[in-house]
Amino acid sequence: MKVRLVSSVHFSAAHRLHSESLDEDTNRRTFDKCNNPSAHGHTYALEVTVEGEIDPATGYVMDVAQLARVIRERVVEPLDRRHLNHDVDFLSGINPTAENIAAGIWARLQGRVAPARLARVVLNETEKNRVAYKGETP
Amino acid sequence: MKVRLVSSVHFSAAHRLHSESLDEDTNRRTFDKCNNPSAHGHTYALEVTVEGEIDPATGYVMDVAQLARVIRERVVEPLDRRHLNHDVDFLSGINPTAENIAAGIWARLQGRVAPARLARVVLNETEKNRVAYKGETP
Amino acid sequence: MKVRLVSSVHFSAAHRLHSESLDEDTNRRTFDKCNNPSAHGHTYALEVTVEGEIDPATGYVMDVAQLARVIRERVVEPLDRRHLNHDVDFLSGINPTAENIAAGIWARLQGRVAPARLARVVLNETEKNRVAYKGETP
Amino acid sequence: MKVRLVSSVHFSAAHRLHSESLDEDTNRRTFDKCNNPSAHGHTYALEVTVEGEIDPATGYVMDVAQLARVIRERVVEPLDRRHLNHDVDFLSGINPTAENIAAGIWARLQGRVAPARLARVVLNETEKNRVAYKGETP
Amino acid sequence: MKVRLVSSVHFSAAHRLHSESLDEDTNRRTFDKCNNPSAHGHTYALEVTVEGEIDPATGYVMDVAQLARVIRERVVEPLDRRHLNHDVDFLSGINPTAENIAAGIWARLQGRVAPARLARVVLNETEKNRVAYKGETP
Amino acid sequence: MKVRLVSSVHFSAAHRLHSESLDEDTNRRTFDKCNNPSAHGHTYALEVTVEGEIDPATGYVMDVAQLARVIRERVVEPLDRRHLNHDVDFLSGINPTAENIAAGIWARLQGRVAPARLARVVLNETEKNRVAYKGETP
């Protein structure tokens, strides 16, 4: 019996949308007020979904407290109360759009949620928009 | 890297559930108090999901502000503060159930969210029920 | 020990903002798209607060199931799936703004929540605005 | 046109995580404070998704009030204000993890939502974790 | 400048509504299914409000992390994953209605939130009802 | 009939908690990771409450669209997608704690919501904490 388990968490971070591959003017037109040089920020709500079989002995897909611990160590610790353009190794040189942050979070959790497998990362940036990433399409 | 992007919005509308293909009595039994002739209404919460590749230059699947603009022009403008049985061209002659409204919204957005593609429309009618539409199954 | 008890409920209704005391043009300018003649509607979220002493025998200010029953009979039954301009006796001749609906709901519940006393009525019209009414100031 | 319809409901129940297949010590280490012998509880938020074609006569996949009735009779009645380890026939002998409860709810609703088909059961245990079950993989 | 600071937290607990001062039959009629002998439970959402002057040096009424720590130690530790009728010293012999739990939580926090003062405790038992307690009226 | 009207809005901003009146070490101990030099940020949820008499002609305390316009011009425009330590005139030289931001927002709105009067400003910084400010106590 395959079941999905979702663990939700929040982190607060600053970012500036700005791409090295675009000139100043294109950056300004593309990212508008999110390109503001002195940065802005969000209280991000993150939902991590893993999938696996129910272990007949425990009734768990995996221990949700263990899942929460992995998310805290691998994602919340390096991101919470940080500036995503400056403070985060795994986002270094990457324009911190919600899409890119979600893909980065996926890479941080991939292979760390055994015996379950990572199924989806959802990142809510504001009450009006969020992104979902399910890994590379094979 | 395929990512989904979700934009959320609200609109407020009146409707009466009543089908031209059913007689008065069947309408009353089928739609119960939602068949009330003088109508009732909802604050609808709409979530539009698009899917696409992350553009390596911008880090965007598509500009979420652009997505919000399309939803506002194509969906919110014609529906907000309207009577769905009387005021809306694209719902004309259609019984405005959540299912039919969602399918109508899909048709309004289809082909308008390039470079992404429309993936899902979720329409929350009350805090207790919602519908999801993903287009015609090929 | 005085405690407040809050019971929450939803109802769905149509309304049109239009005042008999104002001319057509002023109605249009004042209520804008909410003045749309064929009406629109909302899923209203209502919170009713009562206040009283904890009964030492039961540990209740009042039975919350009894409070919910009173709200259902006195408020939800007459308002849910109705047109507030046409179908509701206690709003007859009243412009159904959130303010006026809240005051009308207060009058419907006043004196009906013994042994507690009615303390506040909060009416959420959309996710962006709500009103609160606490009765006439003595 | 295939559409999904989601009906949401809450129930409040006590449970203790404890597996007959594990010894006392492993139970304690695995379930930690959720293994507390005198039990704890949750206000569970349940979302049931069904899928089907829109009926061209009614505009419904199925009557959402009928879906809510089935959920109330088959799930809420036996679970609400109960102790999941002691009071519920269909969970008898099962460790009431969110995963197992969701699978049990699925079995209770399977084949009862015609003309739609059951598509997913989501069970929120706390504001931080939930599970989703879609039935046996064929 | 007096400001209120609110810290929110969740805990999960079992309880049975049953009063020693009432006979079995009155208990059953008063508390209905909440009187179920084997107990049920809730995911309680607690909001603690403190009030104080903004410290001109820090800009804080009080350190919200310190407030959260006090709530965790004084309230969440003794209540989370517990049976409120059996496991909690400060609720011993008290019928664990939301009203009584809120008053008990107030007593646990009273005098512990210096330099601010305790202003209100709000306890959400389900999505439909909550209580608020502000201490003894002088 | 006095009624309160609440308008809700979101803005996203970066900030660093750091007080000019405290030395580096005290800043670090007091504000911990919120003192991170490169800043972090939040999606702030702001609720502005005004109070007034219901105008018998309109049924409004004040036009909620007008209230929303004032909040947008006076608060959201200068704060959204900004760095609160660097970009905002009315917070210049002020440590941008939630308390100080709320007081600053109050000052921006004071006297601008006629014919109603400003009654309360609530600022949610994360899902776990918020502040409320009601103006100077006379």
Side-chain angles (χ1 to χ4, degrees):
Chain A
M1 284 198 301
K2 248 193 215 159
V3 172
R4 292 189 155 207
L5 176 66
V6 186
S7 177
S8 303
V9 77
H10 291 77
F11 61 89
S12 297
H15 74 160
R16 179 201 184 191
L17 297 188
H18 189 267
S19 167
E20 301 298 326
S21 347
L22 304 172
D23 62 38
E24 286 305 304
D25 192 57
T26 313
N27 265 300
R28 221 168 300 121
R29 275 184 298 101
T30 308
F31 301 115
D32 197 47
K33 57 187 181 175
C34 297
N35 186 240
N36 163 29
S38 50
H40 66 284
H42 299 287
T43 309
Y44 291 92
L46 172 68
E47 294 172 28
V48 175
T49 304
V50 302
E51 186 174 56
E53 297 288 325
I54 300 184
D55 178 327
T58 61
Y60 272 174
V61 162
M62 78 177 279
D63 179 2
V64 73
Q66 168 62 7
L67 176 56
R69 220 160 14 235
V70 170
I71 299 169
R72 195 167 53 242
E73 282 168 24
R74 302 283 304 166
V75 178
V76 176
E77 282 300 327
L79 298 182
D80 190 39
R81 265 69 183 184
R82 306 285 179 174
H83 193 306
L84 303 180
N85 303 62
H86 304 313
D87 301 345
V88 184
D89 282 355
F90 71 86
L91 294 176
S92 174
I94 292 171
N95 186 16
T97 59
E99 288 92 330
N100 280 337
I101 303 168
I105 290 172
W106 175 278
R108 292 284 294 172
L109 294 174
Q110 178 76 302
R112 306 269 174 167
V113 296
R117 66 166 197 83
L118 194 59
R120 192 163 63 162
V121 161
V122 174
L123 187 66
N124 298 266
E125 206 173 54
T126 72
E127 85 295 353
K128 284 193 185 150
N129 56 283
R130 64 176 187 274
V131 298
Y133 182 61
K134 302 165 111 165
E136 300 278 346
T137 322
Chain B
M1 283 198 302
K2 247 192 218 161
V3 171
R4 293 189 155 208
L5 176 65
V6 185
S7 177
S8 303
V9 78
H10 291 77
F11 61 89
S12 298
H15 75 157
R16 180 203 183 190
L17 297 188
H18 190 268
S19 167
E20 299 299 325
S21 347
L22 303 172
D23 61 38
E24 285 305 303
D25 192 57
T26 312
N27 265 300
R28 222 168 299 123
R29 275 184 297 105
T30 307
F31 302 115
D32 195 49
K33 57 188 182 176
C34 297
N35 187 239
N36 162 29
S38 50
H40 66 284
H42 299 287
T43 309
Y44 290 92
L46 172 68
E47 294 173 28
V48 176
T49 304
V50 303
E51 188 175 57
E53 297 288 326
I54 299 184
D55 179 325
T58 62
Y60 272 174
V61 162
M62 79 177 279
D63 179 0
V64 74
Q66 168 62 8
L67 175 55
R69 221 165 9 241
V70 171
I71 298 170
R72 195 166 55 242
E73 283 168 24
R74 302 282 304 165
V75 178
V76 176
E77 281 301 326
L79 297 183
D80 190 39
R81 267 67 183 184
R82 306 285 179 173
H83 194 305
L84 303 181
N85 302 63
H86 303 314
D87 301 346
V88 184
D89 282 355
F90 70 88
L91 294 175
S92 175
I94 291 172
N95 186 17
T97 58
E99 288 91 330
N100 280 335
I101 303 169
I105 290 171
W106 176 278
R108 292 286 293 173
L109 295 174
Q110 178 75 301
R112 306 271 173 166
V113 296
R117 68 165 196 82
L118 193 58
R120 193 161 64 162
V121 161
V122 173
L123 186 65
N124 298 265
E125 207 174 52
T126 72
E127 86 293 355
K128 285 193 187 151
N129 56 284
R130 64 176 188 273
V131 298
Y133 183 61
K134 301 165 111 166
E136 301 278 346
T137 323
Chain C
M1 284 197 300
K2 249 193 216 160
V3 172
R4 292 189 155 208
L5 176 66
V6 185
S7 177
S8 301
V9 77
H10 291 77
F11 61 91
S12 298
H15 74 160
R16 178 202 185 191
L17 296 189
H18 189 268
S19 167
E20 299 299 325
S21 348
L22 304 171
D23 61 39
E24 286 307 304
D25 192 58
T26 312
N27 265 299
R28 222 169 300 123
R29 277 185 296 103
T30 307
F31 302 115
D32 196 45
K33 57 187 181 175
C34 297
N35 187 238
N36 162 30
S38 51
H40 65 284
H42 299 288
T43 309
Y44 290 93
L46 172 68
E47 294 172 26
V48 175
T49 303
V50 302
E51 186 174 57
E53 297 288 325
I54 300 183
D55 179 326
T58 61
Y60 272 174
V61 161
M62 78 177 281
D63 179 3
V64 73
Q66 168 62 8
L67 175 56
R69 223 166 5 242
V70 170
I71 298 170
R72 195 166 55 243
E73 284 169 22
R74 301 283 305 166
V75 177
V76 177
E77 282 301 325
L79 297 183
D80 190 40
R81 267 68 183 185
R82 307 285 179 173
H83 194 304
L84 303 180
N85 302 62
H86 304 314
D87 301 345
V88 184
D89 282 357
F90 70 85
L91 293 176
S92 173
I94 291 171
N95 186 18
T97 59
E99 287 92 330
N100 279 335
I101 303 168
I105 289 171
W106 174 278
R108 291 286 292 173
L109 294 174
Q110 177 76 304
R112 307 270 173 166
V113 296
R117 66 166 197 83
L118 195 58
R120 193 163 62 164
V121 160
V122 174
L123 187 66
N124 298 265
E125 207 175 53
T126 73
E127 85 294 352
K128 284 194 186 148
N129 57 284
R130 65 175 187 274
V131 298
Y133 183 62
K134 302 166 110 166
E136 301 278 346
T137 322
Chain D
M1 282 197 301
K2 248 193 218 160
V3 172
R4 293 188 155 209
L5 176 66
V6 186
S7 178
S8 302
V9 76
H10 291 77
F11 61 91
S12 298
H15 75 158
R16 179 203 183 189
L17 296 189
H18 189 268
S19 167
E20 300 298 326
S21 348
L22 304 172
D23 61 38
E24 285 305 305
D25 191 58
T26 312
N27 265 300
R28 221 168 299 123
R29 276 185 296 103
T30 308
F31 302 116
D32 196 47
K33 56 187 182 176
C34 297
N35 187 239
N36 162 28
S38 50
H40 65 284
H42 299 288
T43 308
Y44 290 93
L46 172 69
E47 295 173 27
V48 175
T49 304
V50 303
E51 187 174 58
E53 297 288 326
I54 300 184
D55 178 327
T58 61
Y60 272 173
V61 162
M62 79 176 279
D63 179 1
V64 73
Q66 168 62 9
L67 176 56
R69 223 167 3 242
V70 170
I71 298 169
R72 195 166 54 242
E73 283 168 24
R74 302 282 305 165
V75 178
V76 177
E77 282 300 326
L79 297 183
D80 190 39
R81 266 68 183 183
R82 306 286 179 173
H83 194 306
L84 303 180
N85 302 62
H86 302 314
D87 300 345
V88 184
D89 282 355
F90 70 87
L91 293 177
S92 174
I94 292 172
N95 185 17
T97 58
E99 288 91 331
N100 280 335
I101 304 169
I105 289 172
W106 175 278
R108 291 285 293 174
L109 294 174
Q110 178 78 301
R112 307 270 173 167
V113 296
R117 67 165 197 84
L118 194 58
R120 193 164 61 163
V121 160
V122 174
L123 186 66
N124 299 265
E125 207 174 54
T126 72
E127 85 294 354
K128 284 193 185 150
N129 57 283
R130 64 177 187 274
V131 298
Y133 182 62
K134 302 166 111 168
E136 301 278 346
T137 322
Chain E
M1 283 197 302
K2 249 194 217 158
V3 171
R4 291 187 157 212
L5 176 66
V6 185
S7 178
S8 302
V9 78
H10 291 77
F11 61 90
S12 298
H15 74 158
R16 179 200 184 194
L17 297 189
H18 189 269
S19 167
E20 299 298 325
S21 347
L22 304 172
D23 61 39
E24 286 305 304
D25 192 59
T26 311
N27 265 299
R28 221 168 301 122
R29 276 184 297 103
T30 307
F31 301 116
D32 197 47
K33 57 188 183 177
C34 296
N35 186 238
N36 164 29
S38 50
H40 65 284
H42 299 288
T43 309
Y44 291 91
L46 172 68
E47 295 172 28
V48 175
T49 304
V50 303
E51 187 173 58
E53 297 289 324
I54 301 183
D55 178 326
T58 62
Y60 272 174
V61 162
M62 78 177 279
D63 180 0
V64 74
Q66 167 62 8
L67 176 56
R69 224 167 3 243
V70 170
I71 299 169
R72 195 165 56 243
E73 283 168 22
R74 302 282 305 164
V75 177
V76 176
E77 282 301 326
L79 297 183
D80 190 39
R81 268 66 184 185
R82 307 285 179 173
H83 193 306
L84 304 180
N85 302 63
H86 303 315
D87 301 346
V88 185
D89 282 355
F90 71 86
L91 293 176
S92 173
I94 291 172
N95 185 17
T97 59
E99 288 92 330
N100 279 336
I101 304 168
I105 290 171
W106 175 278
R108 291 286 293 174
L109 295 173
Q110 179 76 302
R112 306 270 174 166
V113 296
R117 67 166 196 82
L118 194 59
R120 193 162 63 161
V121 161
V122 174
L123 186 66
N124 297 265
E125 206 175 52
T126 72
E127 85 294 354
K128 284 193 186 150
N129 55 282
R130 65 175 187 274
V131 298
Y133 183 61
K134 302 165 110 165
E136 302 276 346
T137 323
Chain F
M1 286 199 299
K2 249 193 215 159
V3 172
R4 292 188 156 209
L5 176 66
V6 185
S7 178
S8 303
V9 77
H10 291 77
F11 61 89
S12 297
H15 75 159
R16 178 201 184 192
L17 297 189
H18 189 268
S19 168
E20 300 299 324
S21 347
L22 304 172
D23 61 39
E24 284 307 303
D25 191 58
T26 312
N27 266 299
R28 221 169 301 121
R29 277 185 296 102
T30 307
F31 302 116
D32 195 48
K33 56 188 182 174
C34 297
N35 186 240
N36 162 29
S38 51
H40 65 284
H42 299 287
T43 310
Y44 291 93
L46 171 68
E47 295 173 26
V48 175
T49 304
V50 302
E51 187 174 58
E53 298 287 325
I54 301 183
D55 178 326
T58 62
Y60 271 175
V61 162
M62 78 177 280
D63 179 1
V64 73
Q66 168 61 9
L67 175 56
R69 224 166 6 241
V70 170
I71 298 169
R72 196 166 54 243
E73 284 168 23
R74 303 282 305 166
V75 178
V76 176
E77 282 301 327
L79 297 183
D80 190 40
R81 267 68 183 184
R82 306 285 179 173
H83 194 306
L84 304 181
N85 302 62
H86 303 313
D87 301 345
V88 184
D89 282 355
F90 70 86
L91 294 176
S92 173
I94 291 172
N95 186 17
T97 58
E99 288 91 329
N100 279 336
I101 304 168
I105 290 172
W106 175 278
R108 292 286 292 173
L109 295 174
Q110 179 76 300
R112 306 272 173 165
V113 295
R117 66 165 196 85
L118 194 58
R120 193 163 63 162
V121 161
V122 174
L123 186 66
N124 298 265
E125 207 175 50
T126 72
E127 84 296 353
K128 284 194 186 149
N129 55 283
R130 64 176 188 273
V131 298
Y133 183 61
K134 302 166 110 165
E136 301 277 348
T137 322

